[in-house]
Amino acid sequence: MARGVKWGCSYKRTTLFVCSINIFIALYVLRSLYASLYLYSNNDFNRVVKYTPDQIRKMEESIRIRRAKEPLELVKIVKELKEEFNREETVIELPKEVKNKITDEILERLRSLNANANISEQRNAVEKWRKEKLQEVKLLARETEGLTSSILKEEAGILVRALESYWAVLSENIGLWVPAEVIHQEHDDKPEGEEEPEEEVLPGRPLPPECHAELHTDYDGAAVRWGLTHHKESAADCCQACLDQAKYAKPGEKKCNTWVYCPSETGCFSPDIYQHKNQECWLKYAEKPKLNFKDRYSDSYRDSHPNAPLIVPWVSGVVSA
């Protein structure tokens, strides 16, 4: 019986041969793509970066014209403003230890006043402290021997500028706010000897007696009108808003009996998460109105709340029933 013919290639060899052909074709295609991409990129690069001498001359002329038209005066003014801002930033960035020292000294000076001291006496006490401290740090900056001071010599130069030229900035930075006295001089028809009432120390029209306004006071209560979106021009307007809300409240609604107003242009501190701005007017209700803060924040409170200012910035009042 005749034997079958033995084929020269097996299934495994055939598979290997086909795979080799596929790999060769794939490499050939990749090489062709890379060559075409390189040629395209090279041609495009040569087409973009090669400028004629005339084009180069025009670009140089354009640059020269722009430089000639540069607003040198404006640049000079901007530079001066930047330097001024940098000087103010130096004042604001006083070391924390220095801020704490001068804040404690001002607080101690205010504590030495009579409990019934008015606004003028408080302002005079702070101004007297400022002049005394300014003289002290000036002497320290000049290396006067035998001078005892709680301020280091390296800090004296910065503090001199802060107390002399940037006192308002420093006051705001440490949270010191004392209402300015308002003296109206538009008319000369007042009886001789008549003085401005001390209650009229807040901006805007005088507050009526039923507002019972209290400076540096923050009352607690449930908000019947959210102050973040409720601003008024003055404390008197805020009080009037409280009276109007109570008058026109619907049955079952809480009626405003306490108003809280922020008169400070730099905003008012509060231990919550919000930033309270100037002219915020909070209308509140409390069955028995209770104080949150009065006059000054305590030392222990300021220790636990480093951002708290020296004096309570709010103005509040419990309206008449």
Side-chain angles (χ1 to χ4, degrees):
M1 186 173 180
R3 289 187 172 185
V5 179
K6 186 175 181 181
W7 296 92
C9 60
S10 65
Y11 173 76
K12 187 178 295 185
R13 290 180 179 177
T14 302
T15 302
L16 181 62
F17 178 74
V18 172
C19 290
S20 300
I21 294 175
N22 290 338
I23 292 173
F24 175 78
I25 294 173
L27 291 174
Y28 178 78
V29 171
L30 289 175
R31 181 182 180 281
S32 300
L33 290 174
Y34 176 77
S36 62
L37 179 62
Y38 174 78
L39 291 174
Y40 174 79
S41 300
N42 189 49
N43 292 335
D44 186 65
F45 177 77
N46 293 332
R47 186 167 59 251
V48 172
V49 301
K50 286 185 177 181
Y51 298 105
T52 65
D54 185 60
Q55 289 175 325
I56 295 174
R57 182 185 60 79
K58 289 181 178 180
M59 286 189 291
E60 291 176 347
E61 181 69 13
S62 176
I63 294 172
R64 186 189 65 78
I65 293 174
R66 285 200 300 270
R67 288 179 177 176
K69 297 294 184 180
E70 185 178 4
L72 298 179
E73 288 298 325
L74 180 60
V75 172
K76 182 179 178 181
I77 293 174
V78 171
K79 184 178 179 181
E80 292 176 353
L81 288 175
K82 286 183 178 180
E83 292 176 354
E84 184 70 18
F85 290 151
N86 289 336
R87 287 196 294 269
E88 291 190 9
E89 187 67 20
T90 301
V91 175
I92 295 174
E93 293 302 324
L94 282 171
K96 183 178 180 181
E97 295 76 12
V98 177
K99 291 181 183 178
N100 291 337
K101 287 177 183 178
I102 61 179
T103 301
D104 291 340
E105 290 180 13
I106 295 173
L107 181 61
E108 188 64 29
R109 185 63 61 93
L110 291 173
R111 283 173 177 169
S112 66
L113 298 176
N114 189 290
N116 298 322
N118 57 30
I119 299 300
S120 297
E121 292 172 335
Q122 293 180 19
R123 293 180 66 83
N124 292 337
V126 173
E127 181 62 19
K128 184 179 179 181
W129 171 88
R130 185 186 72 86
K131 292 180 179 179
E132 293 175 356
K133 178 58 67 174
L134 181 59
Q135 183 179 6
E136 174 187 330
V137 292
K138 279 184 176 180
L139 292 174
L140 181 62
R142 295 170 187 166
E143 299 182 339
T144 303
E145 297 181 358
L147 181 67
T148 59
S149 173
S150 59
I151 305 297
L152 299 177
K153 182 181 181 302
E154 293 77 7
E155 303 163 348
I158 300 176
L159 192 53
V160 167
R161 294 195 301 273
L163 294 172
E164 194 169 38
S165 303
Y166 303 103
W167 172 237
V169 177
L170 180 60
S171 299
E172 293 180 3
N173 195 245
I174 64 175
L176 176 63
W177 176 75
V178 180
E181 290 185 292
V182 178
I183 302 177
H184 299 285
Q185 297 180 346
E186 295 84 358
H187 305 287
D188 297 326
D189 56 353
K190 296 180 182 178
E192 186 176 354
E194 182 178 346
E195 298 181 356
E196 289 288 335
E198 189 174 331
E199 289 78 9
E200 296 183 17
V201 295
L202 292 171
R205 60 187 178 89
L207 287 99
E210 59 267 25
C211 291
H212 301 289
E214 300 179 49
L215 295 175
H216 308 300
T217 306
D218 179 14
Y219 272 99
D220 194 10
V224 298
R225 190 62 187 271
W226 200 250
L228 294 177
T229 56
H230 184 235
H231 289 198
K232 292 296 179 181
E233 292 293 329
S234 66
D237 294 330
C238 183
C239 171
Q240 187 62 49
C242 181
L243 295 172
D244 292 342
Q245 192 278 339
K247 182 178 179 180
Y248 298 107
K250 297 179 181 179
E253 287 184 346
K254 293 181 179 179
K255 296 183 178 181
C256 176
N257 63 354
T258 305
W259 57 274
V260 182
Y261 183 73
C262 177
S264 174
E265 294 184 359
T266 58
C268 294
F269 167 81
S270 186
D272 55 31
I273 62 174
Y274 304 105
Q275 291 184 351
H276 298 277
K277 299 181 179 180
N278 180 33
Q279 298 184 343
E280 276 190 17
C281 175
W282 291 79
L283 307 185
K284 300 182 179 182
Y285 167 79
E287 184 176 354
K288 293 182 179 180
K290 179 182 177 182
L291 283 172
N292 278 332
F293 303 100
K294 180 72 174 177
D295 295 333
R296 304 177 182 89
Y297 294 105
S298 65
D299 292 342
S300 58
Y301 182 83
R302 291 175 61 241
D303 289 340
S304 59
H305 297 79
N307 295 328
L310 179 68
I311 300 173
V312 178
W314 299 91
V315 178
S316 302
V318 179
V319 300
S320 302

